[in-house]
Amino acid sequence: RLAAWLDAGRANDQRNQQLHALVLRVLAAHGRPAQVAEVCAGLREVFGIPWVYLTESGIDIDAWSTLVHDWTTPGCGPVAESQQARLSELAGHAIGSVAWVPVALGETGYALLFLGSEDETRFPLGTGTHYLQQVGEMLQTLLAD
Amino acid sequence: RLAAWLDAGRANDQRNQQLHALVLRVLAAHGRPAQVAEVCAGLREVFGIPWVYLTESGIDIDAWSTLVHDWTTPGCGPVAESQQARLSELAGHAIGSVAWVPVALGETGYALLFLGSEDETRFPLGTGTHYLQQVGEMLQTLLAD
């Protein structure tokens, strides 16, 4: 049990280091579009997430409504068969598991960040999504104006 | 020993939460001067540090040369009697302990961030300064251009 705690602590430290590296990339960028692009590029390159997709349009979000049940908190999980086609189309390759991060904008609007991997176990159901919430809050700040 | 680990873990989590709140403040600001000002304001208001002083001028840095022996890493410690007068003058009140964060700029330049408190035990000698290093890297990024 102690070993599990230490492992969790190490994973947590690594996440925080990665988040810090992401923050530095965003701070180095000038202007909102470049900063938002750095969040996505940092998730790809620092966190090693193969597919990173940010949508501010309602059209694409509709396609996710069967996947995302709670629009206020991030979540993770393997991809259902019915969602495979649309996800693969967007990603350009098969997606085995995804994480999603809702980003509230204004009174009723929202953006949605999707992270995906071919690996079905990369974003397991019910994993800790604390860092995703922090990334979501960064995006919310950047997209607010 | 386990209790000490848990305490350290909790303190670490709190630091990371505070650092995240600081990052959001900086991201909300527009332009380098406002972003740098938010780093300092966030250290005051989020971390509760009474005195936050950032200098990019060599003149003031000379006055610290007896305090800061290593110009590459952050440090902490109680204030020596010989440093009291200058510190109190700058802060407008007595300073019992300080932390300092050197920020390398260009090839030979540097800025220096000072954090101070009347409390002699607030920044004890040899404490973990990991979050200060992260704040220093944020400032380095913001002051680089």
Side-chain angles (χ1 to χ4, degrees), chain A residues 40-61:
Chain A
C40 296
L43 287 167
R44 276 184 210 102
E45 293 164 27
V46 179
F47 286 82
I49 295 166
W51 182 56
V52 178
Y53 182 76
L54 177 66
T55 174
E56 291 181 68
S57 84
I59 298 160
D60 265 314
I61 291 175

Side-chain angles (χ1 to χ4, degrees), chain A residues 48-122:
Chain A
I49 295 166
W51 182 56
V52 178
Y53 182 76
L54 177 66
T55 174
E56 291 181 68
S57 84
I59 298 160
D60 265 314
I61 291 175
D62 287 345
W64 309 123
S65 58
T66 54
L67 187 66
V68 182
H69 300 293
D70 173 355
W71 292 97
T72 58
T73 49
C76 282
V79 171
E81 212 173 321
S82 63
Q83 293 144 358
Q84 267 293 356
R86 182 74 180 113
L87 282 164
S88 303
E89 187 185 89
L90 282 166
H93 55 81
I95 295 293
S97 64
V98 286
W100 55 90
V101 186
V103 181
L105 301 175
E107 298 228 339
T108 54
Y110 47 82
L112 196 52
L113 175 71
F114 272 94
L115 311 175
S117 168
E118 292 194 49
D119 181 355
E120 289 174 31
T121 65
R122 173 68 193 256

Side-chain angles (χ1 to χ4, degrees), chain B residues 69-80:
Chain B
H69 300 292
D70 174 355
W71 292 97
T72 59
T73 49
C76 283
V79 170

Side-chain angles (χ1 to χ4, degrees), chain B residues 43-145:
Chain B
L43 287 167
R44 276 185 210 103
E45 293 163 26
V46 178
F47 286 81
I49 294 166
W51 182 55
V52 178
Y53 182 76
L54 177 67
T55 173
E56 290 183 68
S57 83
I59 299 158
D60 266 314
I61 290 175
D62 288 345
W64 309 123
S65 56
T66 54
L67 187 66
V68 182
H69 300 292
D70 174 355
W71 292 97
T72 59
T73 49
C76 283
V79 170
E81 214 173 320
S82 61
Q83 294 145 355
Q84 267 293 357
R86 182 73 180 115
L87 283 163
S88 302
E89 187 185 88
L90 281 166
H93 55 80
I95 295 293
S97 63
V98 285
W100 55 91
V101 186
V103 181
L105 300 176
E107 297 228 341
T108 54
Y110 47 81
L112 196 53
L113 176 71
F114 272 94
L115 311 175
S117 168
E118 293 194 48
D119 181 354
E120 289 173 32
T121 65
R122 175 66 193 259
F123 298 106
L125 199 66
T127 352
T129 51
H130 183 64
Y131 83 102
L132 292 180
Q133 186 150 349
Q134 293 184 312
V135 169
E137 286 164 12
M138 288 172 58
L139 282 172
Q140 185 174 37
T141 303
L142 295 174
L143 295 172
D145 56 18

Side-chain angles (χ1 to χ4, degrees), chain A residues 2 5-6 12-13 16-17 20 23-24 26-30 32 35 130 134-135 137-138 141-142 145, chain B residues 2 5-6 12-13 16-17 20 23-24 26-30 32 35 130 134-135 137-138 141-142 145:
Chain A
L2 192 56
W5 274 355
L6 289 175
N12 203 30
D13 283 350
N16 283 323
Q17 282 300 329
H20 177 60
V23 164
L24 293 184
V26 175
L27 291 180
H30 291 267
R32 293 305 189 216
Q35 290 173 316
H130 183 63
Q134 292 184 313
V135 169
E137 285 165 12
M138 288 172 59
T141 302
L142 296 173
D145 55 19
Chain B
L2 191 56
W5 276 354
L6 290 174
N12 203 29
D13 283 351
N16 283 322
Q17 282 300 328
H20 178 60
V23 164
L24 294 183
V26 175
L27 291 180
H30 290 269
R32 294 305 188 216
Q35 290 174 317
H130 183 64
Q134 293 184 312
V135 169
E137 286 164 12
M138 288 172 58
T141 303
L142 295 174
D145 56 18

